[in-house]
Amino acid sequence: MIITINEWEVTSEYWDNLMGEKGDWFQKYVMRPSILSLLGNINGLNILDAGCGNGYLSRYLARMGANVIGVDFSKKLLKKALLYNRTERLNVKYLQKDISSQLDLNMVFDRIISHNVIQEIKNYFGF
């Protein structure tokens, strides 16, 4: 089932409570170590976090030295991401866009992450 922008906005508090500032147990101990092993050394790299939600992974990557752009279409989740960023000066920029149709960033990224997102994208094959 594909979730619409309105549904994401309605459930944004739930997802933020589930993930928190640093991710839930599964993210911390299963997903994040797997992602990091695939990324390798990211210090100084430009990374796109496509579907960043409340930005917990974007912030983590920035703490490791990456320059991160986090993109999500939920305004409410991005507001949460910005609130979390207030406590630290991290090199993360957040943008509100639909990654399936509005990702015209005109930038080059060293790595792109789309973590637990593709199943929610309406038109990820472009047709």
Side-chain angles (χ1 to χ4, degrees):
M1 179 177 85
I2 296 169
I3 299 176
T4 67
I5 183 64
N6 291 333
E7 291 168 318
W8 272 117
E9 296 298 53
V10 168
T11 62
S12 63
E13 284 294 322
Y14 167 80
W15 286 108
D16 181 59
N17 289 333
L18 182 66
M19 290 298 128
E21 185 175 355
K22 297 183 179 181
D24 65 2
W25 183 93
F26 187 71
Q27 305 309 315
K28 289 178 191 175
Y29 300 107
V30 178
M31 295 303 294
R32 190 166 57 208
S34 299
I35 291 168
L36 293 176
S37 72
L38 292 170
L39 292 176
N41 182 1
I42 60 170
N43 188 36
L45 297 185
N46 296 317
I47 297 180
L48 172 65
D49 186 358
C52 68
N54 75 357
Y56 73 90
L57 185 57
S58 296
R59 288 186 300 281
Y60 190 85
L61 298 174
R63 287 183 196 108
M64 295 182 66
N67 308 304
V68 183
I69 293 183
V71 177
D72 205 282
F73 73 177
S74 170
K75 289 180 185 178
K76 289 183 179 181
L77 285 172
L78 290 174
K79 283 182 183 179
K80 293 288 187 176
L82 290 170
L83 286 173
Y84 289 130
N85 265 35
R86 287 179 150 177
T87 60
E88 297 178 77
R89 291 204 176 258
L90 297 172
N91 198 4
V92 180
K93 180 179 179 181
Y94 295 107
L95 302 172
Q96 197 239 340
K97 293 180 176 278
D98 180 343
I99 63 173
S100 68
S101 64
Q102 298 176 330
L103 208 52
D104 56 352
L105 299 177
N106 294 322
M107 296 181 67
V108 174
F109 294 97
D110 299 299
R111 307 282 189 276
I112 297 174
I113 299 169
S114 189
H115 163 53
N116 288 337
V117 175
I118 198 163
Q119 71 276 8
E120 307 300 342
I121 296 174
K122 181 177 180 182
N123 192 12
Y124 57 86
F125 287 120
F127 51 84

